[in-house]
Amino acid sequence: MGNRNLNLYTGEKRVSTLIWEGSFLKLLDQRKLPFKEVYINCRSVDSVAEAIRNMVVRGAPAIGVVAGYGVALAALKFYGEDKQEFTGHMNRSIKLLSGTRPTAANLFWALDRMKRVLDHAGNLEVSRIKGKLIAEAKEIEKQDLEINRRIGRNGKEIFRRSDSKIKILTHCNAGALATSGYGTALAVIRSLNEEGKVANVIVDETRPFLQGARLTAWELHKEKIPFFIISDNMAGYFMSRGDVDAVLVGADRIASNGDTANKIGTLSLSILAGYYKIPIYIAAPISTVDIKMKSGDNIPIEYRDGSEVREVLGKTIIPKFMAVKNPAFDVTPADNITAIITEKEVIYPPYKKSIGKFFKTGGHIKEEVHSSDGKK
Ligand code: MRU
């Protein structure tokens, strides 16, 4: 793979979110960060599904890319030439992957792309279809990296006119770890930092899974981007003191009216940002838009196991007899969002109109958005 070991763009040790090894997939185990940088090997579609479900890999675009490789692995591990059996096996594998996490649109988008390869295989032999599926998974990974670069470039333009360095607050991890490299919200931060325009990043720790404290901080530290970590309930305090110029976050699913599902806590941040008149930007690839979803009301919200709330890094802090709830995402109404930064352009309200123009009827993303030639 051409971009292997470059994905995190770190100054020191090179680490990648995922590495396709030709016959298996290596995933950086994000549950172990920041203390250990270890990989697990996925050699079957079942192990890929388990890795997504158990948060070995997480973040909407990364889940999509990994699911693509999951489909490729399912094909590789099929032995025989019987097309009917192969189709049944592939459909079951896609169904398995689609049941891993319900909120992020990119998972279903990537699986759709893989399914289209299967649907268009015509009379091809099984071995040829396998090759096509692997190529498509690689293409999804490659395009994701290019898209993130463009998101970074488009996002930094928003701050072009600002004379002073920018103080940014971010939530969860929308970085290289959540994508095939460079990130979405962190792509904008990286691009700004390359021009010396970042004063400081405030990193919400992001309870309960601590993606901010464990993952975003790890990425920023590696790249020597100035930051400090706060617990989530401190955001309002820092906003009230003028310590936040902009809030920059990623997205898991964007409805056609602009309502945006992202990590739990984003909704509260958007309300705080509105009160203090601080702009809040969503950075996401167009593939995060679910054009068939009219509003955020119908976005499925994943509820994860209560143990994530009950425990901190394996230590129980809430006894079993006390009830907990653990919604992993919330929906920020479009009205609270200043702009959505995509690989194509920065989209402003009214979102129904501005998002709509990227789509043909039927909810498929225009192929041109994903052209891999680096041009728009
Ligand atoms: O539960 P997670 O860690 O998969 O949630 C991730 C987020 O909410 C991210 O902000 C989102 O996926 C955007 S990542 C570029």
Side-chain angles (χ1 to χ4, degrees), residues 256-312:
S256 61
N257 70 345
D259 290 351
T260 295
N262 189 49
K263 180 51 56 196
I264 191 81
T266 307
L267 169 63
S268 322
L269 275 182
S270 77
I271 295 166
L272 280 171
Y275 183 85
Y276 287 109
K277 303 202 173 10
I278 296 166
I280 174 163
Y281 300 104
I282 305 288
I286 295 282
S287 56
T288 308
V289 176
D290 182 349
I291 198 70
K292 288 182 190 153
M293 188 81 49
K294 295 271 172 286
S295 83
D297 295 347
N298 297 323
I299 297 178
I301 298 296
E302 175 184 13
Y303 273 67
R304 294 189 59 82
D305 198 274
S307 59
E308 289 177 359
V309 174
R310 239 174 245 298
E311 298 166 9
V312 177

Side-chain angles (χ1 to χ4, degrees), residues 25-86:
L25 183 66
K26 275 172 77 170
L27 293 176
L28 181 63
D29 190 344
Q30 300 192 24
R31 300 167 305 179
K32 301 279 190 332
L33 292 173
F35 304 110
K36 281 186 190 156
E37 293 169 14
V38 290
Y39 285 86
I40 65 157
N41 296 336
C42 295
R43 296 179 186 277
S44 65
V45 64
D46 299 84
S47 61
V48 171
E50 199 181 311
I52 296 173
R53 202 176 282 118
N54 295 339
M55 309 283 278
V56 171
V57 61
R58 28 64 52 202
I63 292 171
V65 173
V66 167
Y69 280 118
V71 176
L73 264 177
L76 263 185
K77 297 292 147 130
F78 177 84
Y79 300 103
E81 276 298 331
D82 186 309
K83 278 287 271 293
Q84 217 179 339
E85 272 182 34
F86 179 67

